[in-house]
Amino acid sequence: MGMKTGKLKRWPYLLLGMLLFIFAGVVYAWSLFAEPLEAAHGWTRAETSMVFTICMVMFNIANVVGGFLVNKTSIRVNMIITTVCLLAGFISSAYVSSVWQLYLTYGVLIGFGIGLSYSPTISVIVSWFPDKPGMASGMLLLAFGMSTLVVGTQVARLFGIIGIERTFITIGIVAAAVVLFVSFFMKTPPKDAVFPKPAERKSNPDVQGEDMPSSQVIRRPSFWLFMLWQTGIVTAGMAVVGQAATAATSIGATVALATVATSGLSVANGVSRFFWGTLCDILGITKIRMLLSITALVGFGISIAGLATSNVVLLIVSFIIIGMAYGGSVGHPASFVRTMYGSKYYASNFSLVFMPGFITAFIGPTIMAAVYSSSGYLPAFCAMGALALVGGVAGLFIKKP
């Protein structure tokens, strides 16, 4: 899949990355697993929700670790460790007897394992597509975001067919086998590879910045402003992802309509990653960042109107718009980092943008739950809209090096 008669063959690597992400993204399907586990063990929703929180924290920690590890070794080392973590995490999850054990098996092992290959895989695939970084990262994130629909729902059915224990064992074996298979083929481009030149578009003013090591990147005001932008948009979006169904039912939506609401948000979240990534190659990172901020604020404005008037249709529309903004903001860092800080240190620099994930995994759901418990969903969504506004304002002050 490398160089052949002078022609660069790179699309197989993108397809391999998408295959990996379709199975890795099953981590987002935790909500499908929670109810059967609660019924089997008598655990509360508060206890099982912490599993996903721990998983997301470990996922973000591993992204930072993985970005620096791949610079020292190779993507194959990351993937082999991921294989071991997934196999051990899922199989051990099948035999837990207390929820704290699940925190370790699913939360720590699986979250860390998937995170260890997430950002390195994106950095490797993007290195094969320097002329289309937004499209490449968008395709990967589309696969990751759609995993719940493609794989997660099928896996959830297995709980009722073969039981919890065998389902976890099956997931572990299949997911580990896929990662191990991909590890045999995934690699960075040869140093003498000649890539197509980016299409010349007057609408895209982006010029790739000077190669900058991570030690310099973290001293740039642009980096910390971007962290604030991403924290605001992603935190607000993540909070809505976790509360969409219950927010809809709180104003009278039926279970069927609540399902439509969450499905619409999920599809928008997945599709938008490819949509915004591809559009970023055309319009540039600055315009896309502004459009994402505006989209998020419009979405929260409509959701507030829907909650205030108990209009389910407005709320569903707002979830789709918020899902579009959330998905785009998750995918935007791949293009931002390469454009701002060059390609030489891309893997380690890209891993840095996952640092806010330590915070967003806690503060978004926590603030939403706290405000909802005291005042209801309308003030809770107002609080999330305010977070998105803070992020959007910070994004206005980002300047290129």
Side-chain angles (χ1 to χ4, degrees):
M1 292 190 295
M3 302 288 289
K4 185 177 180 181
T5 63
K7 188 176 180 180
L8 186 68
K9 294 190 174 182
R10 55 185 182 165
W11 290 97
Y13 295 102
L14 178 56
L15 295 177
L16 282 172
M18 292 180 68
L19 174 64
L20 171 67
F21 274 29
I22 284 175
F23 282 87
V26 76
V27 69
Y28 273 159
W30 169 251
S31 60
L32 299 174
F33 308 153
E35 189 171 347
L37 286 168
E38 291 165 2
H41 296 279
W43 297 330
T44 66
R45 181 55 55 90
E47 290 175 321
T48 58
S49 295
M50 185 56 66
V51 176
F52 185 69
T53 298
I54 293 172
C55 187
M56 289 295 97
V57 171
M58 295 307 300
F59 171 80
N60 284 283
I61 291 174
N63 268 298
V64 177
V65 174
F68 286 91
L69 179 62
V70 76
N71 279 342
K72 301 292 183 181
T73 56
S74 69
I75 185 66
R76 182 171 298 176
V77 172
N78 289 57
M79 289 187 172
I80 290 174
I81 299 174
T82 294
T83 300
V84 173
C85 287
L86 291 181
L87 194 61
F90 276 113
I91 291 179
S92 58
S93 292
Y95 299 103
V96 298
S97 57
S98 61
V99 72
W100 71 264
Q101 293 173 337
L102 199 61
Y103 295 161
L104 297 177
T105 59
Y106 196 104
V108 175
L109 278 176
I110 295 174
F112 187 85
I114 292 176
L116 203 64
S117 291
Y118 180 85
S119 65
T121 298
I122 293 177
S123 65
V124 168
I125 297 302
V126 168
S127 70
W128 282 97
F129 292 86
D131 55 317
K132 301 176 180 179
M135 181 280 301
S137 61
M139 290 292 287
L140 291 174
L141 295 172
L142 171 62
F144 195 82
M146 297 297 287
S147 177
T148 298
L149 294 177
V150 177
V151 179
T153 52
Q154 301 304 316
V155 169
R157 293 177 182 177
L158 292 178
F159 279 113
I161 299 174
I162 62 176
I164 295 174
E165 292 82 4
R166 291 181 179 178
T167 299
F168 271 125
I169 293 172
T170 302
I171 300 172
I173 293 174
V174 173
V178 169
V179 177
L180 188 61
F181 169 76
V182 172
S183 71
F184 287 120
F185 302 100
M186 190 65 69
K187 62 180 181 180
T188 55
K191 293 183 179 180
D192 59 348
V194 179
F195 297 100
K197 293 182 178 180
E200 293 186 4
R201 298 185 178 97
K202 293 182 179 180
S203 58
N204 185 351
D206 287 346
V207 176
Q208 184 170 303
E210 177 185 350
D211 291 328
M212 191 177 298
S214 299
S215 58
Q216 294 182 24
V217 169
I218 60 175
R219 294 199 293 266
R220 304 291 306 188
S222 60
F223 172 76
W224 293 107
L225 285 169
F226 184 76
M227 291 295 95
L228 185 56
W229 175 82
Q230 191 183 24
T231 299
I233 303 295
V234 172
T235 299
M238 184 177 292
V240 174
V241 169
Q243 298 284 340
T246 51
T249 56
S250 73
I251 60 170
T254 63
V255 173
L257 279 176
T259 302
V260 170
T262 55
S263 297
L265 193 154
S266 178
V267 171
N269 176 21
V271 173
S272 67
R273 302 178 185 214
F274 171 70
F275 170 77
W276 289 111
T278 302
L279 197 61
C280 192
D281 294 335
I282 300 173
L283 299 179
I285 58 173
T286 302
K287 290 181 180 178
I288 292 300
R289 189 170 57 252
M290 292 178 63
L291 286 173
L292 285 170
S293 300
I294 293 170
T295 302
L297 293 173
V298 169
F300 278 104
I302 295 175
S303 69
I304 292 168
L307 288 167
T309 60
S310 296
N311 190 314
V312 177
V313 174
L314 276 182
L315 196 62
I316 293 174
V317 171
S318 75
F319 287 164
I320 294 173
I321 296 174
I322 291 171
M324 289 290 292
Y326 173 66
S329 61
V330 170
H332 189 61
S335 296
F336 175 84
V337 172
R338 189 177 186 87
T339 300
M340 293 288 285
Y341 311 119
S343 57
K344 184 177 180 179
Y345 306 99
Y346 182 78
S348 57
N349 289 341
F350 181 57
S351 69
L352 292 176
V353 301
F354 290 92
M355 291 194 300
F358 309 154
I359 302 173
T360 58
F362 281 108
I363 64 174
T366 300
I367 293 175
M368 175 73 90
V371 178
Y372 164 69
S373 298
S374 62
S375 307
Y377 271 119
L378 180 57
F381 271 72
C382 289
M384 293 302 104
L387 275 177
L389 178 60
V390 170
V393 172
L396 296 175
F397 293 94
I398 297 174
K399 296 181 179 179
K400 292 183 180 180

